[in-house]
Amino acid sequence: MTKPILVSGIQPSGRLHIGNYLGALKNFVELQNSGKYQCYFFIADLHSLTESYTPEEKHKQILELTADFVAAGLDPKKSVIFLQSQIPAHSELAWILSTITPTGELRRMTQYKDKSDNEKDSANTGLLTYPILMAADIILYDAKFVPVGEDQVQHLELTRTLARKFNSRFGEIFIEPQPILTETPRIMSLKNPEKKMSKSDPSSCVFLDDSPEDIRAKFKSATTDSGNEIKFDKAKPGISNLLKIFSAVSGESIKESEKMFAGSTYSNFKGAVAESIVAHFTDFRKRKSTLLARPKTLTNLLSSGSKKASLRANRKIKEIKNRVGLTV
Ligand code: AMP
Ligand code: TRP
């Protein structure tokens, strides 16, 4: 039996933080290594053009994210690793899907509302149509599974709706994909545990390639709660977030982690969480800087992955165009 297809992407729009890692990238590596899927992982560079950037920055961000992927354990021998913009079929399918997408569906997307909130009419159109391109990224590959963080689940629901709609109008051609979430699908900001850790607010983030000193300082000043018990509890969002982070990197359950820190002070606990992160990313940091010293290897890796991905994508877009009647 052929293995089910799994697809996911990350935007090259800045350094990865531990939310990206614990919600997505760490799981990409585990899913890849499980051997149960045909994996496609890509750099969502077209999506990232919806945020401000310079061309020099963009090029650098693409290389950095490719290095992040490989340093974290994605392996071009096991997964197809590619660059979205190298495969025109993504944009072509996005256009076709846009003609069956009601604008109202896009306007009610939480991410769009958050990102366009203070821009109103000047928000770029790409921010609005972003989920259509994401749907295209997924259904173009007949993906059954999509590992993502919780903030992307609404976009996946739209993807399913569009696949269904297209199928009922033009005949069964697309699979409705399902999200795969981790135990930590929503890591919260260290400054404000009521808000998600987000690249758009760098002060809320611990980055994967932060220096050990920075990591320690950030955890030291993390917002905690009243009381003094290390306990997973809705009323203790700061401590609960730290427990989740610790549990995810150490592999200990939340219950075990609570036991380990029973009687410990908040300050000692924060120090221990910081050390677990410092240790977890020591090799990652080394591998990343080695990879970045050889940018040509990274661009070659992407080109060869994109070649492989386009075999599947080109076959599919041809079939889609046929269904729609775009044939002469
Ligand atoms: P992005 O950088 O927006 O492309 O996000 C990359 C991946 O990280 C997506 O699957 C997101 O859902 C996930 N992600 C982003 N922020 C968080 C967070 N705070 N906690 C868990 N997952 C996250
Ligand atoms: N929108 C995703 C994010 O911001 C990135 C993304 C683009 C993606 N296309 C995708 C994720 C397809 C999964 C599948 O995190």
Side-chain angles (χ1 to χ4, degrees):
M1 226 183 59
T2 57
K3 295 176 188 173
I5 296 168
L6 179 149
V7 167
S8 196
I10 296 184
Q11 300 185 67
S13 52
R15 300 157 71 201
L16 291 187
H17 54 69
I18 56 173
N20 300 130
Y21 181 74
L22 298 178
L25 185 55
K26 179 167 180 274
N27 207 22
F28 293 2
V29 177
E30 285 163 10
L31 291 161
Q32 163 194 272
N33 292 341
S34 77
K36 290 193 200 148
Y37 310 93
Q38 298 178 59
C39 294
Y40 290 78
F41 296 112
F42 67 95
I43 312 263
D45 56 344
L46 294 174
H47 276 105
S48 75
L49 302 185
T50 57
E51 316 257 345
S52 65
Y53 66 94
T54 64
E56 296 73 36
E57 244 166 30
K58 190 51 62 195
H59 176 71
K60 197 162 162 262
Q61 287 169 335
I62 291 170
L63 290 181
E64 287 247 351
L65 185 54
T66 311
D68 286 326
F69 274 13
V70 178
L74 290 186
D75 177 352
K77 290 200 197 75
K78 298 183 186 162
S79 298
V80 180
I81 300 171
F82 69 98
L83 186 62
Q84 183 188 37
S85 67
Q86 288 186 330
I87 303 183
H90 288 242
S91 311
E92 286 186 88
L93 178 56
W95 178 262
I96 294 172
L97 292 178
S98 78
T99 65
I100 62 162
T101 312
T103 49
E105 294 263 349
L106 300 174
R107 282 206 196 87
R108 67 182 185 77
M109 293 287 129
T110 309
Q111 184 173 306
Y112 172 68
K113 286 197 277 192
D114 286 351
K115 291 199 175 174
S116 63
D117 208 22
N118 29 20
E119 302 179 53
K120 297 274 177 292
D121 285 349
S122 66
N124 73 71
T125 309
L127 275 180
L128 181 66
T129 57
Y130 179 109
I132 303 178
L133 178 59
M134 177 161 164
D137 296 336
I138 297 166
I139 62 180
L140 184 61
Y141 293 89
D142 295 321
K144 192 160 172 23
F145 298 108
V146 184
V148 279
E150 190 180 73
D151 58 354
Q152 298 302 315
V153 168
Q154 194 184 29
H155 292 160
L156 266 185
E157 258 149 39
L158 178 70
T159 304
R160 295 167 64 82
T161 306
L162 294 180
R164 218 162 28 237
K165 198 163 171 184
F166 191 101
N167 285 347
S168 74
R169 181 152 164 208
F170 301 104
E172 286 293 318
I173 179 166
F174 290 129
I175 295 182
E176 287 182 40
Q178 292 162 25
I180 301 183
L181 299 182
T182 64
E183 295 283 319
T184 45
R186 193 175 167 83
I187 293 292
M188 309 309 276
S189 156
L190 293 192
K191 289 251 175 290
N192 176 1
E194 307 287 343
K195 274 179 49 186
K196 147 186 115 162
M197 186 176 285
S198 164
K199 280 181 206 166
S200 58
D201 175 13
S203 77
S204 76
C205 298
V206 176
F207 296 104
L208 307 196
D209 55 6
D210 268 341
S211 67
E213 298 72 46
D214 283 349
I215 294 173
R216 291 186 185 109
K218 285 179 182 181
F219 278 98
K220 196 167 178 191
S221 67
T223 305
T224 43
D225 316 287
S226 56
N228 53 16
E229 234 187 324
I230 315 293
K231 201 161 167 280
F232 193 83
D233 185 335
K234 263 210 176 75
K236 288 173 159 276
I239 291 295
S240 299
N241 191 38
L242 294 176
L243 272 168
K244 279 197 165 177
I245 294 171
F246 180 79
S247 158
V249 292
S250 67
E252 301 289 351
S253 67
I254 297 276
K255 278 264 152 299
E256 253 333 290
S257 312
E258 282 176 341
K259 270 193 210 148
M260 285 171 69
F261 295 105
S264 170
T265 62
Y266 279 180
S267 158
N268 284 344
F269 172 54
K270 290 200 280 187
V273 182
E275 291 315 318
S276 73
I277 294 285
V278 168
H280 191 84
F281 291 107
T282 303
D283 288 344
F284 170 90
R285 273 191 301 275
K286 281 191 206 133
R287 282 195 293 266
K288 182 170 177 180
S289 67
T290 311
L291 287 158
L292 280 173
R294 302 173 60 193
K296 191 78 187 109
T297 315
L298 297 172
T299 49
N300 286 345
L301 184 155
L302 288 178
S303 305
S304 98
S306 298
K307 251 189 221 138
K308 284 187 206 153
S310 46
L311 293 179
R312 181 173 276 279
N314 292 346
R315 215 183 320 127
K316 189 78 180 180
I317 194 73
K318 203 164 162 209
E319 203 186 332
I320 296 164
K321 285 178 170 174
N322 273 330
R323 287 293 174 97
V324 177
L326 297 178
T327 42
V328 284

